[in-house]
Amino acid sequence: MNKKNLTIKETFALAYQNHQKNNLRVAENLYNEILKINPNHFESIFLLGSLSLQTKKFDAAIQLFYKAIEIRPEHADTHYNLGILHQKLGQYQNAVSSYKEAIRIKPNFADAHYNLGATYYKLGQYKEVIASSKEAIRIKPNFGNAYLNLGLAFRKSGSYDEAIASYKKAILV
């Protein structure tokens, strides 16, 4: 079938397949083709934003994520990815806000709790790291990196026995 005869749904499926297979340039071109026809196609905007984050095109990613939020403000993964982007850019307060919004929308979002804790660590807010890491572990009990963050925060707080126990858990899970 000729590419020009594909529907948006078919083009999106092809874009997504290429994205999954790490054929990022092909996926990017297909997402952009969809957006020429339907500039508010949420899935293409969100995934093109994710692809832009993945390929370190941070300016494009931030614009795409904010556009996705305009279309679907209650999409937790968009806020989460925006948090990752802000974190990569060293914009820690913005990252905290994005992760908190993702958690507000989806309270049991373990990765958002974990990344919120990691961001608090960058800010030197160790009590918040401990709370966020414990919440990530409550949701996902074998979350090794959350135990590691917990151990780091306990160490920075001077709670060495708890730090050691957390490090041991991180190794065992």
Side-chain angles (χ1 to χ4, degrees):
M1 179 181 241
N2 186 334
K3 189 172 113 175
K4 296 215 184 282
N5 295 331
L6 295 178
T7 65
I8 286 179
K9 186 176 180 177
E10 292 166 333
T11 304
F12 179 76
L14 191 58
Y16 187 73
Q17 283 175 350
N18 277 283
H19 196 162
Q20 294 298 104
K21 291 178 182 173
N22 220 29
N23 297 328
L24 301 181
R25 184 165 290 153
V26 173
E28 181 178 12
N29 290 336
L30 291 167
Y31 290 137
N32 280 318
E33 286 298 315
I34 293 167
L35 293 175
K36 285 179 190 171
I37 299 163
N38 179 357
N40 291 320
H41 189 266
F42 174 80
E43 290 81 5
S44 293
I45 294 166
F46 171 71
L47 289 171
L48 186 56
S50 299
L51 188 150
S52 297
L53 174 58
Q54 199 176 348
T55 57
K56 297 181 176 26
K57 296 177 184 174
F58 298 139
D59 290 339
I62 206 159
Q63 290 175 4
L64 289 159
F65 288 142
Y66 278 113
K67 183 172 183 176
I69 287 168
E70 283 178 27
I71 296 168
R72 284 200 195 153
E74 296 297 308
H75 191 256
D77 287 339
T78 305
H79 292 281
Y80 173 74
N81 281 2
L82 187 57
I84 292 170
L85 177 57
H86 284 305
Q87 196 172 358
K88 285 185 180 292
L89 295 172
Q91 300 166 348
Y92 300 125
Q93 291 299 339
N94 290 340
V96 165
S97 296
S98 294
Y99 292 135
K100 282 184 172 183
E101 185 63 10
I103 291 165
R104 182 194 67 75
I105 296 164
K106 189 174 164 185
N108 286 332
F109 198 158
D111 289 336
H113 286 283
Y114 163 75
N115 277 356
L116 178 59
T119 305
Y120 279 135
Y121 188 85
K122 293 283 190 181
L123 293 168
Q125 297 175 343
Y126 304 119
K127 285 182 184 175
E128 289 82 357
V129 176
I130 292 166
S132 294
S133 298
K134 283 182 175 181
E135 187 61 14
I137 291 164
R138 183 193 67 76
I139 297 163
K140 192 173 164 182
N142 293 324
F143 202 155
N145 284 338
Y147 282 108
L148 178 60
N149 271 2
L150 191 56
L152 293 169
F154 279 137
R155 184 178 58 83
K156 287 285 191 177
S157 301
S159 301
Y160 300 111
D161 289 341
E162 288 173 298
I164 291 167
S166 296
Y167 292 144
K168 285 180 179 177
K169 280 276 208 176
I171 292 167
L172 294 173
V173 293

